[in-house]
Amino acid sequence: MRIIRFFIFLLSLVCGVAQAQVPVPPFSGWVVDQANMLSVKEHQDLTQLLNNYANKKGSQIGILLVKTTEPEAIEQFSIRVADVWKLGRKGIDDGVLIVVAKNNPKSLQRLRIEVGRGLEGAITDLQAKEIIEKFIVPNFKKKNYYSGLIEASKGMITLIDQEYAGISNKAPIKKNKESVWKGFESYFVGFVIFGMIGLVWWRMYGMIGMTGLALDVYKRNYRPGMNSQNFRGDEFTRTLERVERRSGWGNFGVGGGFGGSGGFGGGFGGGGGGFGGGGASGDW
Amino acid sequence: MRLKWAVMAFLIMILSGCGYNDFQTKDEAIKAAWGEVVNQYQRRADLIPNLVNTVAGYAAHEKETLSAVTQARAAATSMQITPQVLNDPAAFSQFQRMQGQLTSALSRLMAVSERYPDLKADGRFRDLQVQLEGTENRITVARQRYITTVQEYNVLARQFPTNLTAMLFSYVVKPSFTVENEKAISNVPTVDFGQAK
C-alpha cells in the first residue's frame, strides 16, 4: 500500500515537472549564453562592450540567450528574468534586457528587447522594434548572431546616450548591501525591544536569576548530611534574600541582538532597476 | 500576577504592531499597483482613436467593427476610476468587464485588418500595432503585479492574528482580477486567413 502511494507521489512529481516554466538563469555576467550561439571570443567581446558601458555610464544592458521559453511566451519569460536580474540602477531604472530564445515556436516569438522603466522614453516600443528589425533580424537570418547582438547593443547605447546625456554614472550600483542591512535592522530592533521587555520581566520574576541565586545559596548553606528531613527552609530563604539584595540584577535573561540573516547574496548582481513591460518582440 | 501577564501581552502586541504597520505598507502598495493598472489601460485607450482612423482610411466599410471599438472605448473611459473602486467589488468587476469588452472589440478589429494587405503594409498601421502590443504587454505586467500585491494583503487580512488588527481598523479583503477574465484576455484570437504576407 505504501509503495503504491510512493509511486503516485513520484508520478505527480514527474507530471509537475513536465508543465514547469523555464527557470530564470542565474545572473552570471552581462551576457548569459545557454544556447551556445556565441564563441568564447565573441562572448568575451560582447561582455566587454557592455561592461565598459555599464561602468562608464551606469546604464546596464544585459543579453540572455536561451534555447526555449516554452510554455511561456517570450514576453512572460523576459519580464520574470528582468524582475530577478534587476538590471539598471535603483531609482533610475535604466536597464535593458535582450532575450533570444533560439528554438521557440513562431507563436511564442524568439526575440525580445525588454526596456526598463527609466529608459522607456529613450528606447520607445517603436525604437526597440526598429532595433530588432534593422540590426538583429538581418544578421540572425544569416546566422551572424554576434554581429546582430553587437549592432543592437551599439544602437541602444546610442539611443541611451542621446537621452541620458545629463545623468552622471556616480550613482553607485547597489549590490545586495542594502537588503542585508534592512533585514538586520528589523531583526535588531525587534530583539532590542524584546530584550528590554525581557530585562524588566526577568527582574520582576528573576527566574533564571533565581536559579543562579538558588544554586549560590545552596552552596553556601550546604552542610554534609543535609537531606529532606533536616533541611531548614527559613534559613535558606533568609540567605536567599540577603544574596539577592547584594547581587542586584542577578541575571540578564534573554538580552538582545543576535541579529537577523538579511540577504547575503553577494557577487555579480543587477543594480535594482525596475521594469514595466515596455519594449518590443520579434522573430527572424 | 495575572495583571503583569496582561500588561506584558499588551506591550508585546503594541510593540510588534500585530501587523498594523504591515497593513499600512501593503495598502499603499495596492494603491500604487492599482494606479499603474489604470495608467496602462488609459495608455491603450489613448492609442485607439489613431488606430481607428488609420484602419478607416483603408477599410471604411467595416463600419460595424470600427464603431464597436469606438463605443467600447467611450464606455471604458467614461467610468470614473477612483481608489474607492478597490473597496467596491461591484465597481471593480464593472471596470474589468468594460476593459474586457474593449479588448474583444480591439482583437476583432485587428483580425479584420488582416484582410487588407494595403493596410498591413501601411507604416502608420504597423507602428500602431507595435505600440498596441507594447501597451498590452504593459497591461499584463501591471495586472500581474497588482494581483500579487493584493494576494499578500489579503493573506495578511485573513490570517490570525493579523485579522484581528484588520477587523479593528476595518481593513477589508480587496478585490482581484478573476480567473475567468484572465483566461479570456490571455486567449487573444489569432485569426489566420491563410493569405500570403
Side-chain angles (χ1 to χ4, degrees):
Chain A
M1 194 54 206
R2 239 185 266 167
I3 294 178
I4 297 175
R5 264 192 267 163
F6 177 69
F7 274 111
I8 293 175
F9 171 69
L10 272 185
L11 193 68
S12 65
L13 277 181
V14 171
C15 294
V17 165
Q19 291 294 320
Q21 298 171 330
V22 175
V24 175
F27 188 29
S28 52
W30 300 116
V31 179
V32 175
D33 182 7
Q34 289 188 341
N36 294 320
M37 290 166 81
L38 299 171
S39 71
V40 175
K41 174 98 185 21
E42 291 170 343
H43 194 285
Q44 276 176 353
D45 289 346
L46 202 48
T47 307
Q48 197 171 42
L49 172 77
L50 300 177
N51 195 38
N52 290 344
Y53 189 64
N55 289 334
K56 185 184 82 164
K57 186 82 187 179
S59 309
Q60 300 178 332
I61 302 175
I63 297 182
L64 174 60
L65 310 168
V66 291
K67 295 207 177 93
T68 179
T69 65
E70 272 188 279
E72 290 180 304
I74 200 166
E75 292 92 358
Q76 293 166 304
F77 176 74
S78 67
I79 192 73
R80 272 199 308 127
V81 175
D83 283 344
V84 170
W85 285 18
K86 296 199 198 324
L87 292 166
R89 290 169 285 178
K90 190 171 172 101
I92 305 178
D93 296 331
D94 54 352
V96 182
L97 176 66
I98 304 178
V99 179
V100 178
K102 192 165 181 222
N103 300 330
N104 263 7
K106 286 267 178 193
S107 56
L108 299 180
Q109 302 218 286
R110 292 188 283 176
L111 295 167
R112 177 148 182 94
I113 296 183
E114 191 77 46
V115 179
R117 277 185 210 275
L119 288 175
E120 286 189 10
I123 307 177
T124 64
D125 293 353
L126 288 174
Q127 284 166 317
K129 185 74 174 178
E130 210 187 313
I131 288 183
I132 290 180
E133 298 286 323
K134 218 161 75 169
F135 297 129
I136 302 185
V137 170
N139 281 306
F140 272 40
K141 279 199 160 109
K142 291 182 258 170
K143 299 213 184 204
N144 294 337
Y145 304 122
Y146 171 71
S147 312
L149 291 170
I150 202 135
E151 281 178 30
S153 306
K154 287 185 180 159
M156 287 197 288
I157 286 174
T158 312
L159 285 173
I160 300 174
D161 279 341
Q162 281 170 1
E163 182 92 357
Y164 272 70
I167 299 214
S168 84
N169 70 331
K170 292 299 178 196
I173 297 174
K174 288 203 172 75
K175 292 226 173 11
N176 286 306
K177 280 201 217 132
E178 207 186 41
S179 61
V180 171
W181 178 240
K182 269 209 180 97
F184 184 78
E185 204 177 73
S186 56
Y187 275 106
F188 185 69
V189 170
F191 269 88
V192 163
I193 292 176
F194 187 68
M196 291 195 314
I197 299 174
L199 276 171
V200 175
W201 194 344
W202 295 131
R203 186 66 191 94
M204 291 202 289
Y205 289 92
M207 273 206 299
I208 292 184
M210 288 299 244
T211 319
L213 283 166
L215 270 172
D216 190 33
V217 171
Y218 181 80
K219 271 190 271 180
R220 279 169 204 261
N221 288 315
Y222 177 73
R223 311 268 178 267
M226 190 160 90
N227 54 33
S228 52
Q229 260 113 37
N230 60 22
F231 173 73
R232 295 287 308 282
D234 54 345
E235 219 175 69
F236 187 94
T237 317
R238 260 179 281 135
T239 325
L240 207 61
E241 286 173 327
R242 239 184 302 138
V243 173
E244 194 188 4
R245 256 178 269 128
R246 261 187 281 151
S247 73
W249 286 95
N251 195 311
F252 278 110
V254 175
F258 287 109
S261 53
F264 279 112
F268 202 80
F275 286 75
S281 311
D283 205 309
W284 73 89
Chain B
M1 174 91 173
R2 253 177 236 277
L3 181 63
K4 282 187 187 137
W5 279 106
V7 168
M8 274 307 124
F10 183 73
L11 277 177
I12 290 173
M13 207 191 90
I14 292 287
L15 290 168
S16 73
C18 226
Y20 181 71
N21 282 333
D22 286 337
F23 272 113
Q24 305 296 67
T25 324
K26 296 210 190 295
D27 201 36
E28 286 304 314
I30 290 182
K31 290 204 185 101
W34 177 245
E36 185 71 20
V37 171
V38 172
N39 224 16
Q40 302 304 348
Y41 273 124
Q42 187 55 44
R43 188 194 169 111
R44 177 174 73 167
D46 291 342
L47 283 173
I48 288 174
N50 262 342
L51 186 65
V52 168
N53 287 336
T54 311
V55 176
Y58 289 86
H61 61 273
E62 299 283 354
K63 282 203 195 74
E64 261 179 50
T65 324
L66 288 167
S67 63
V69 172
T70 316
Q71 280 169 5
R73 178 189 178 267
T77 49
S78 69
M79 189 181 169
Q80 284 279 57
I81 306 297
T82 61
Q84 279 305 103
V85 172
L86 292 178
N87 293 331
D88 182 2
F92 189 85
S93 53
Q94 195 195 11
F95 175 76
Q96 266 194 97
R97 225 179 325 119
M98 290 187 146
Q99 294 294 349
Q101 281 166 0
L102 182 51
T103 308
S104 322
L106 263 175
S107 3
R108 260 176 283 137
L109 180 66
M110 299 313 275
V112 157
S113 311
E114 291 284 317
R115 282 192 241 138
Y116 296 84
D118 289 344
L119 173 63
K120 281 173 38 169
D122 185 290
R124 263 177 317 156
F125 181 73
R126 285 222 298 263
D127 284 355
L128 283 164
Q129 242 184 334
V130 170
Q131 286 176 321
L132 199 64
E133 277 167 19
T135 310
E136 293 282 1
N137 192 46
R138 284 186 178 83
I139 290 174
T140 309
V141 169
R143 283 168 63 108
Q144 278 170 357
R145 292 198 176 141
Y146 174 79
I147 289 171
T148 316
T149 318
V150 165
Q151 194 181 35
E152 289 174 13
Y153 171 91
N154 284 348
V155 161
L156 205 64
R158 294 172 65 185
Q159 260 183 355
F160 185 81
T162 46
N163 63 346
L164 301 173
T165 319
M167 280 193 267
L168 212 61
F169 295 99
S170 50
Y171 280 113
V172 290
V173 168
K174 291 273 183 345
S176 186
F177 294 105
T178 55
V179 178
E180 301 94 81
N181 270 290
E182 287 299 317
K183 277 218 186 107
I185 283 164
S186 62
N187 291 339
V188 176
T190 48
V191 184
D192 182 21
F193 289 98
Q195 296 195 345
K197 280 204 172 168

